[in-house]
């Protein structure tokens, strides 16, 4: 851990947290609708992975605001997308669950559980063919690890030695179903260890996530095939805004809140004398400014025009032909 | 030219011209393709571009989407449309929607090729026609190839297209030797007037084209001169060509192998109602597959789909009933 890294990790995790708290507030106000899946509590995973896996392609599920921000997506266009505005990253057509930016090699935002995994595997196949070393990062939850698409994907990636990192974000609950009720393994690495090298890390500790991804990605970069990482983590909020999360006990919640990734990073950095309280207050002020700016941008942006309903279905050459 | 050779030639030429073109599917490589469409390609282009996959249709299409995102032009072969139901989530929720829900940022240049229809006694799980499922999905282009000329030009167009194309073939057509024409200004979305006629319009596609041609020979004996139109493209539908023909003949029959209820004909009829209802002298006649899973027994199998004899009988009966 060094000062520059503390700054980067803290800033991005705090940005993610405050972004989502603000999104929650505006959901209550009716500015944001539909499904809003918050990542609060899991920021170490989003930030640690994206900081370490800084090249290559990213495929993600629908709980992806913080991952997108950590990848470098502008908070303004992410917030505008949540508000359903024309200026949003997906022009208001995707919403919270569908953030895409090929310029950042960030390919969504997939809301079919495990549906993005075969796509990530195909991308990894192409990257191997093209001689690209960085490979593909695919993140998914414990719920996805029970789906057929997951098992097909680890099988194919392993059979063909594809450059792909499967990152299991195990927050124990698929909406309200605990992993132990529906899987023979609570430790998801058990599902992958016969297929590829596996790693575990503490999903509440950004440095551990960062270090583990950094170590595992060497295997991919050296052309040795896929890797699997599991991070145990916890979401403080319900599955989405429509879930009060009553299936979890307060004791369980407390265990994880004591390990809060943002507070713990701060504590550790001060203990190590890398920075002081004032340093964090300054970063907090910067985050507040950026978030307010994002909300202002989203709120003042125009709605899409009705004509846009029929746009973006096909590529230009087809739009000429297809009514 | 053999129908399957026309498909092979289209793939071969595209793979030769553009190294981003790859083909993947069950037994497409070393085995040479279930229907020999990909025969010879692996020795020419290698196993990295002619990819033998596991029996995992969801992954065949999902992998193809990922390859397309990464800049390749994948051709996914599904052994039959029956198995494509396992890939339906990838086709509908992903291939068809990624571009739209990303505000136009994602591009999926991909073809999913698959044969369907009743072959010979393959029973219910290997005999379906699911064109109606795919042609109801916004974001997909759905083409059908009933002949070598369209198979070649249509597939080449599909491979070069930057959008996802569902390319439907028919199991009985693969070994058929057909007339082949080079076309300069090929338009994949244009229906083909197979035979001009003045008395009634028969719309059809895929293998039923040949049953309709057979039936027309018989209808001629009753003094009926039918215009036969092969739809080619099911989405978008060339309603312009259809409406023009109906304006002339005032009568329309649709012949399809698919089940009648909710089949392709149902959508075609609805569009005819919207476009040229007042040009019709009689209700449109739908001659389609029966609403049952396809049975194994040959007699029952033939009873479940239109045949030339049945097409003739139904048209004569319909004409008599309507006094046309």
């Amino acid at each position: 851990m060094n000062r520059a890294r503390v700054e980067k990790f803290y800033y991005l995790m705090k940005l993610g947290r405050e972004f989502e708290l603000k999104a929650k507030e505006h959901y209550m106000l009716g500015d944001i609708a539909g499904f809003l899946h918050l990542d609060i509590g899991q920021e170490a995973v989003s930030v640690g992975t994206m900081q370490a896996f800084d090249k290559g392609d990213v495929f993600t599920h629908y709980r992806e605001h913080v991952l997108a921000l950590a990848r470098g997506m502008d908070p303004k266009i992410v917030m505008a997308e949540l508000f359903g505005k024309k200026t949003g990253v997906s022009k208001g057509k995707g919403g919270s669950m569908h953030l895409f930016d090929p310029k950042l090699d960030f390919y969504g935002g997939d809301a079919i559980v495990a549906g993005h995994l075969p796509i990530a595997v195909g991308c990894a196949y192409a990257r191997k063919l093209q001689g690209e070393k960085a490979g593909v990062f695919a993140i998914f939850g414990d719920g996805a690890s029970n789906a057929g698409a997951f098992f097909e994907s680890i099988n194919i990636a392993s059979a063909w030695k594809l450059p792909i990192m499967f990152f299991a974000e195990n927050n124990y609950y698929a909406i309200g179903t605990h992993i132990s009720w529906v899987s023979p393994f609570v430790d998801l690495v058990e599902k992958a260890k016969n297929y590829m090298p596996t790693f575990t890390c503490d999903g509440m500790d950004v440095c551990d996530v960062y270090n583990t991804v950094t170590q595992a990605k060497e295997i991919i970069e050296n052309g040795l095939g896929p890797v699997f990482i599991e991070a145990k983590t916890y979401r403080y909020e319900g599955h989405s805004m429509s879930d009060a999360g009553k299936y979890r006990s307060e004791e369980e919640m407390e265990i994880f809140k004591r390990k809060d990734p943002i507070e713990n990073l701060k504590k550790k950095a001060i203990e190590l004398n890398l920075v002081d309280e004032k340093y964090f207050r300054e970063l907090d002020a910067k985050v507040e400014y950026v978030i307010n700016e994002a909300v202002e941008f989203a709120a003042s942006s125009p709605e899409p025009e009705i004509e846009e309903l029929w746009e973006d279905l096909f590529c230009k050459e087809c739009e000429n032909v297809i009514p | 030219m053999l129908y399957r050779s026309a498909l092979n030639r289209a793939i071969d030429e595209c793979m030769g011209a553009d190294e981003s073109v790859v083909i993947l599917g069950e037994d497409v490589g070393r085995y040479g393709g279930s229907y020999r469409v990909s025969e010879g390609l692996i020795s020419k282009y290698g196993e990295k571009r002619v990819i033998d996959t596991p029996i995992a249709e969801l992954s065949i299409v999902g992998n193809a989407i990922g390859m397309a995102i990464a800049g390749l032009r994948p051709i996914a072969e599904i052994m039959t449309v029956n198995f494509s139901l396992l890939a339906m989530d990838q086709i509908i929720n992903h291939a068809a929607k990624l571009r739209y829900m990303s505000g136009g940022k994602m591009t999926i240049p991909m073809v999913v090729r698959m044969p369907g229809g009743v072959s010979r006694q393959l029973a219910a799980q290997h005999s379906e026609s699911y064109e109606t499922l795919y042609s109801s999905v916004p974001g997909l282009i759905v083409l059908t190839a009933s002949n070598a000329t369209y198979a070649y030009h249509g597939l080449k167009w599909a491979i070069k297209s930057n959008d996802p194309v569902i390319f439907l073939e028919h199991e009985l057509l693969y070994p058929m030797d057909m007339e082949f024409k080079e076309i300069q200004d090929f338009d994949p979305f244009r229906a083909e007037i197979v035979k001009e006629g003045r008395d009634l319009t028969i719309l059809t596609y895929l293998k039923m084209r040949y049953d309709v041609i057979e039936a027309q020979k018989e209808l001629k004996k009753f003094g009926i001169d039918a215009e036969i139109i092969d739809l080619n493209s099911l989405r978008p539908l060339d309603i312009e060509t259809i409406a023009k023909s109906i304006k002339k003949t005032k009568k329309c029959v649709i012949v399809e192998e698919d089940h009648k209820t909710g089949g392709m004909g149902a959508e075609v009829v609805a569009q005819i109602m919207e476009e040229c209802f007042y040009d019709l002298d009689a209700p449109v006649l739908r001659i389609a597959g029966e609403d049952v899973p396809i049975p194994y027994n040959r007699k029952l199998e033939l009873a479940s789909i239109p045949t030339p004899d049945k097409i003739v009988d139904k048209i004569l009966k319909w004409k008599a009933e309507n006094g046309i």
Side-chain angles (χ1 to χ4, degrees), chain A residues 152-174:
Chain A
E152 287 189 14
S153 294
I154 58 171
N155 178 63
I156 291 174
S158 173
W160 296 345
K161 295 270 168 284
L162 300 181
I164 179 168
M165 178 180 290
F166 291 98
F167 196 100
E169 187 177 31
N170 185 353
N171 68 14
Y172 302 93
Y173 291 90

Side-chain angles (χ1 to χ4, degrees), chain A residues 242-309:
Chain A
S242 56
D243 168 22
K246 287 185 176 155
Y247 40 85
R248 299 178 300 184
S249 69
E250 281 189 18
E251 293 77 27
E252 185 179 285
M253 184 75 79
E254 269 316 303
I255 292 171
F256 285 96
K257 282 196 170 173
R258 275 200 296 275
K259 297 201 273 187
D260 185 80
I262 299 174
E263 286 311 309
N264 275 317
L265 176 70
K266 195 168 161 179
K267 218 168 86 191
K268 213 151 88 183
I270 292 170
E271 271 169 19
L272 289 172
N273 256 333
L274 290 169
V275 282
D276 57 16
E277 277 277 2
K278 185 168 162 280
Y279 177 83
F280 287 109
R281 278 198 300 274
E282 280 166 16
L283 284 177
D284 290 350
K286 190 174 158 194
V287 165
E288 198 185 334
Y289 177 80
V290 170
I291 297 299
N292 286 337
E293 202 182 42
V295 171
E296 212 167 288
F297 176 80
S300 62
S301 284
E303 299 265 340
E305 312 291 334
I306 285 293
E307 288 68 34
E308 291 178 46
L309 178 64

